[in-house]
Amino acid sequence: MQIVSCVDYADMSRKAARIIAAQVQLKPQCVLGLATGSTPVGTYKELIRFHRNEELDFSNVTTVNLDEYYGLGPEHEQSYRYFMQHNLFNYVNIPPENTHVPDGLTRDVARTCAEYDNLVASLGGTDIQLVGIGDNGHIAFNEPSAVFVADTHLVDFFASEADVPRQAITMGMRSIFSAKLILLLASGPNKASAIAGMLKGPIDPQLPASILHLHPNVMVIAVKEALALV
Ligand code: GLP
């Protein structure tokens, strides 16, 4: 795993966006795996800036997102489809039909999950997969558990301790691992222990990001406070 230490959030966002932009320039028809959460927002802002100022062209790019809340439609402000539209897709020239987020309103979860993995496979996997990391080491909605899950699947999770469980459809490890390069972004001192646990190993499904040791090409781009325990 390559580790890139950044001075601040803006630095992390610029570095990540430069890598993604370079990929789009080298291979205009590339497949980008995208993530939600607060961490990649700055990266998306940079990509929008590159699109406007440097004519970065997304017209042949395809995207697949990691996950979606189950039960939320694209118009729901908390849905990840809504997030992607409002943080990236609406501001670059990517054809809407080239953007993929799991269908949170599906009535046939098993089929939707299988089709999502088939879609990723039929695209030849992703060229770059962007991922964040949860305080507990989760990636996408692959939460700490007894085993790693390979397939796209429905998962129960707790948004806070007081909360009732909610559900999400998340890529499993196989589609995430289809990436030629996994870019893991981390910012904030609350990520330090998960990052340290991931880097030091062992590979343990109780710290889902630790599985990234098995991928040949992972770059961790992190603000220095997130690397404080490394
Ligand atoms: C959520 C998302 C993850 C994300 C994580 C961290 O659980 N499903 O994909 O990486 O939160 O979010 P943030 O970037 O806001 O810290």
Side-chain angles (χ1 to χ4, degrees):
M1 265 185 220
Q2 194 185 338
I3 301 168
V4 179
S5 175
C6 305
V7 289
D8 56 18
Y9 181 82
D11 185 30
M12 177 196 76
S13 302
R14 268 193 304 270
K15 286 188 164 109
R18 272 288 165 218
I19 293 168
I20 296 169
Q23 175 69 81
V24 172
Q25 282 162 334
L26 284 171
K27 185 180 174 188
Q29 74 288 13
C30 66
V31 181
L32 300 177
L34 300 179
T36 52
S38 55
T39 311
V41 170
T43 304
Y44 297 150
K45 283 202 169 87
E46 284 292 295
L47 289 173
I48 292 166
R49 202 170 62 77
F50 295 160
H51 171 65
R52 288 185 179 151
N53 299 350
E54 302 174 17
E55 295 178 1
L56 185 65
D57 179 14
F58 288 84
S59 63
N60 291 303
V61 170
T62 298
T63 64
V64 285
N65 262 78
L66 287 169
D67 45 14
E68 179 60 285
Y69 290 116
Y70 185 52
L72 299 193
E75 307 301 334
H76 195 291
E77 289 183 11
Q78 282 180 29
S79 76
Y80 284 166
R81 165 56 80 175
Y82 187 95
F83 175 101
M84 290 310 302
Q85 292 300 138
H86 292 267
N87 284 285
L88 182 65
F89 299 153
N90 289 352
Y91 305 102
V92 296
N93 64 333
I94 187 161
E97 63 275 19
N98 288 13
T99 68
H100 304 281
V101 180
D103 176 10
L105 294 180
T106 180
R107 290 176 177 211
D108 189 342
V109 172
R111 183 171 165 185
T112 296
C113 290
E115 284 178 355
Y116 208 68
D117 284 329
N118 289 341
L119 167 74
V120 175
S122 71
L123 291 167
T126 53
D127 289 289
I128 295 182
Q129 176 67 60
L130 200 57
V131 296
I133 185 168
D135 299 2
N136 61 1
H138 73 237
I139 46 178
F141 270 114
N142 292 275
E143 296 288 335
S145 71
V147 289
F148 292 111
V149 181
D151 297 338
T152 292
H153 58 288
L154 183 69
V155 66
D156 289 335
F157 70 95
F158 291 83
S160 75
E161 274 177 37
D163 242 351
V164 289
R166 297 177 65 184
Q167 290 184 305
I169 293 174
T170 183
M171 259 189 207
M173 296 304 179
R174 187 183 304 117
S175 286
I176 293 173
F177 265 60
S178 75
K180 296 187 180 73
L181 167 65
I182 296 178
L183 275 189
L184 186 146
L185 305 188
S187 153
N190 56 317
K191 302 291 171 71
S193 124
I195 293 283
M198 170 185 78
L199 292 175
K200 289 175 188 163
I203 295 174
D204 181 349
Q206 291 299 339
L207 202 158
S210 64
I211 199 173
L212 296 179
H213 281 289
L214 294 179
H215 191 281
N217 197 13
V218 177
M219 192 184 286
V220 177
I221 304 182
V223 183
K224 56 182 186 307
E225 70 250 17
L227 295 171
L229 301 178
V230 178

